[in-house]
Amino acid sequence: MRKEELFELMAKAIIEGNREESARLAKLSLDLNINPQESIDFGFAKGIKEVGAMWERGEYFLPELLMGAEAMKSAMDILTPHILSGKSGSLGKKVVIGTVEGDIHDIGKNLVASMLLANGFEVIDLGADVPLEKFVFTAEETNADFICMSALLTTTMIGQKKVIEMLVEKGIRNKYKVLVGGAPVNEMWARRIGADGTASNAAQAVSLALSLLR
Ligand code: B1M
């Protein structure tokens, strides 16, 4: 089977909310030695974005959105360990990452966390719906280098701004590189709230974090 055909089947499995099929295709891609990052970016993630678009057009409702997310998770559970390469922590730089308060979307955040880990960062993953103070508290407590915040809802993006304001108020803004991301986040927003940058996917997030170390 051609790689492109497999990617199409992966997207279809997510659109149909078929957990068994997405797990089967994830395993098959590993057997075929396809880079797991490619399977996520060009296969499964395309599917979940289409699910979001169908939901927006009123063609899908919440149960279908949930089923798509479940199918996405079952593929990610199989692929993510293969992205990790054992380099974890080798850079000696610590990242505190999470999805901001009020927001339970964690698929993209998990991907960014895995890629950072795979590229030598030590990652402290606070999960999703993280109270804003917890980003600051954990960064201080663990002597982190980066604070990374994901937000998928236009209503929760403001949490990223509030965390930066907390850092400024405490006089510790310059101790950390702050990265923000998530589907509604763009360069303009990142600049406006005084973040150190944003990235539109996990690979770019890693490049950005590495570039900020120089
Ligand atoms: Co929700 N949802 N959802 N959802 N959901 C969106 C975000 C939405 C755009 C769908 C739509 O309308 N088209 C819409 C938001 C609209 C808006 O705010 N304007 C929406 C909504 C409205 C909702 C609910 C409010 C629905 C409801 O209950 N009525 C609800 C919110 C609940 C809450 O959070 N309080 C809700 C719930 C859910 C599910 C639980 C069903 C599920 C999430 C499951 C989970 O994550 N565990 C879900 C899903 C799956 C989606 C869509 C379809 C897909 C999100 C996703 O996983 N994408 C989404 C539609 C969309 O985004 N187009 C949608 C794949 C992932 C790989 O990409 O997360 O963008 P992404 O991450 C990328 C980049 O953004 C970047 O790298 C990642 C990897 O490439 N990135 C970073 C992410 N974080 C980064 C951080 C960085 C750097 C880069 O540095 C720190």
Side-chain angles (χ1 to χ4, degrees), residues 41 45 48-49 51-53 55-56 62 65-66 69 72-73 97 102-109 111-112 148-150 152-155 179-183 199-202 205:
D41 288 346
I48 196 75
K49 281 177 189 155
V51 169
W55 188 74
E56 214 164 355
L62 204 52
L65 198 61
L66 272 168
M72 182 82 194
K73 283 225 160 197
I97 190 168
D103 197 329
I104 60 168
H105 295 88
D106 65 357
I107 296 171
K109 183 270 299 168
L111 203 49
V112 174
C148 293
M149 291 176 280
S150 188
L152 264 285
L153 298 171
T154 44
T155 48
L179 306 188
V180 291
S200 55
N201 60 48

Side-chain angles (χ1 to χ4, degrees), residues 118-154:
N119 282 275
F121 289 87
E122 186 183 332
V123 176
I124 300 160
D125 189 345
L126 300 177
D129 191 14
V130 178
L132 303 181
E133 316 75 46
K134 197 167 175 186
F135 284 99
V136 179
F137 174 78
T138 311
E140 282 289 276
E141 194 185 44
T142 60
N143 205 12
D145 303 281
F146 287 83
I147 297 177
C148 293
M149 291 176 280
S150 188
L152 264 285
L153 298 171
T154 44

